[in-house]
Amino acid sequence: MSGVRKNGLTYADAGVDIDAGNALVEAIKPLVRATRRPGADAEIGGFGGLFDLKACGFRDPVLVAANDGVGTKLKIAIESNIHDTVGIDLVAMSVNDLVVQGAEPLFFLDYYATGRLVPGIGAEVVGGIAKGCRIAGCALIGGETAEMPGMYAGEDYDLAGFAVGAVERDAILPRQGAMREGDVVLGLASSGVHSNGFSLVRRIVRQTGLAWDAPAPFEEGVTLGRALLEPTRIYVKSLLAALRAPEGGAIRALAHITGGGFIDNIPRVLPDGFGVALDLDAIKPPPVFGWLSRTGGVVEHEMLRTFNCGIGMVVVVGAEQADAVSETLRQAGETVCRVGVIIRDSGTRVEPRGRLAL
């Protein structure tokens, strides 16, 4: 009968290369081993990742879990063929969410799905994930690679990450009943756009007609693609240092400034009846935000509820200890400024005052 193959089909005929998957696992094993920490031997290849919580020395721990992705920032990585930073973003988006509850990230797992597995690209992506885990102090104990032709176009890929941490029961943030009117709101500088708002970023870039390999209009000596792919800052070690310092008990709450910007994220950690007077004059947005605002005609309010505008993390601290906490954070490598004060809620949970220097 015409049209019938004499030989049976294979998985490779359907577009799935098992050998490429095995090659990727072997390539990333040294990267994974480099993330070892107490509680994990960081070997991969089994059906599940193991972690020994007792080895971490907690007294009365509560586990905290978070998961996230990188969003449409991945489209820039794919189109510009720059894959070594989005793994850091993947880790950052989850571990920063853990530390705002006072938790120390312990381990991380990733999910990498693609239309066609290219081991070199996969190794770059996982290399970024491993680097992010080292920065955060957590172990990469496992993950999943899925080759799904027909689900994703060509070599397009998507990422998801899953982080688990632990916090002593009496140290969970925000501290219930501790916030007071007059508490100081500190802002920790971001590294750029981080991993939110990229559907708008990409729309603005399309309007300009610029290619990803064109010089960045807002940063010298780097391409537009590389500049926009600057990875999300990981605040874990500096914030844990501040929380464990003698003055750490004065930290009332932490807020990770992600999608929704200041307007949506700060209220998530405020008790009923409290708001924030946000001092926009104190914030110094990196040049990328001014370029996005001017080029896209994005008004200030939309910037504040879409992007971090230069502040990736917010720390609410008692006024008397604000200077000491600021100094601890600076010594840990953060750029810190006072961006507001806790006020009684007047109907607007976040009350912007002044103007952003866009």
Side-chain angles (χ1 to χ4, degrees), residues 26-332:
E26 290 303 313
I28 65 176
K29 278 185 176 181
L31 303 173
V32 175
R33 292 190 191 105
T35 70
R36 289 179 176 177
R37 56 150 294 149
D41 63 10
E43 290 291 339
I44 58 171
F47 288 96
L50 302 177
F51 191 91
D52 181 3
L53 188 60
K54 187 176 180 180
C56 297
F58 286 93
R59 295 179 291 102
D60 184 23
V62 174
L63 293 178
V64 184
N67 71 296
D68 211 333
V70 183
T72 59
K73 189 175 186 177
L74 286 178
K75 290 294 289 182
I76 300 178
I78 293 166
E79 292 171 6
S80 64
N81 197 31
I82 300 172
H83 307 284
D84 59 347
T85 60
V86 288
I88 301 174
D89 289 294
L90 184 68
V91 176
M93 295 305 290
S94 287
V95 298
N96 283 343
D97 280 353
L98 293 185
V99 76
V100 297
Q101 295 188 262
E104 175 188 347
L106 301 177
F107 60 86
F108 189 86
L109 298 100
D110 69 274
Y111 176 76
Y112 172 47
T114 182
R116 185 175 75 86
L117 183 60
V118 179
I121 293 175
E124 285 189 75
V125 171
V126 177
I129 295 171
K131 183 175 181 179
C133 286
R134 293 196 302 272
I135 295 170
C138 63
L140 179 58
I141 66 170
E144 173 69 10
T145 300
E147 191 172 21
M148 297 191 289
M151 184 69 73
Y152 300 93
E155 297 170 8
D156 284 4
Y157 60 87
D158 197 8
L159 297 173
F162 310 85
V164 174
V167 57
E168 297 290 0
R169 194 177 304 273
D170 58 3
I172 296 173
L173 294 178
R175 300 189 198 278
Q176 297 300 314
M179 199 167 292
R180 299 287 183 269
E181 187 176 4
D183 284 349
V184 170
V185 181
L186 303 174
L188 307 187
S190 69
S191 56
V193 184
H194 284 185
S195 297
N196 299 102
F198 272 87
S199 293
L200 179 55
V201 170
R202 290 168 51 246
R203 174 72 176 270
I204 292 169
V205 172
R206 280 200 302 272
Q207 289 180 355
T208 69
L210 289 171
W212 298 123
D213 60 358
F218 49 85
E219 186 175 342
E220 291 186 5
V222 65
T223 65
L224 178 60
R226 177 63 76 176
L228 290 173
L229 287 170
E230 180 68 28
T232 305
R233 184 166 181 81
I234 295 175
Y235 299 96
V236 168
K237 290 185 178 178
S238 58
L239 287 174
L240 289 178
L243 288 167
R244 293 165 178 170
E247 63 276 5
I251 296 176
R252 321 290 201 206
L254 304 171
H256 187 198
I257 307 303
T258 56
F262 298 99
I263 306 302
D264 290 346
N265 284 293
I266 295 177
R268 296 169 66 180
V269 300
L270 298 179
D272 291 341
F274 289 93
V276 169
L278 188 65
D279 182 6
L280 301 184
D281 293 326
I283 300 171
K284 294 179 173 56
V288 60
F289 295 106
W291 181 79
L292 290 169
S293 177
R294 293 188 302 273
T295 307
V298 185
V299 298
E300 182 180 85
H301 179 75
E302 189 67 17
M303 293 292 294
L304 289 171
R305 70 187 306 261
T306 304
F307 299 115
N308 67 63
C309 295
I311 301 295
M313 187 71 69
V314 159
V315 182
V316 181
V317 61
E320 293 183 356
Q321 292 81 21
D323 287 342
V325 170
S326 296
E327 183 58 27
T328 298
L329 289 165
R330 289 190 184 99
Q331 290 182 5

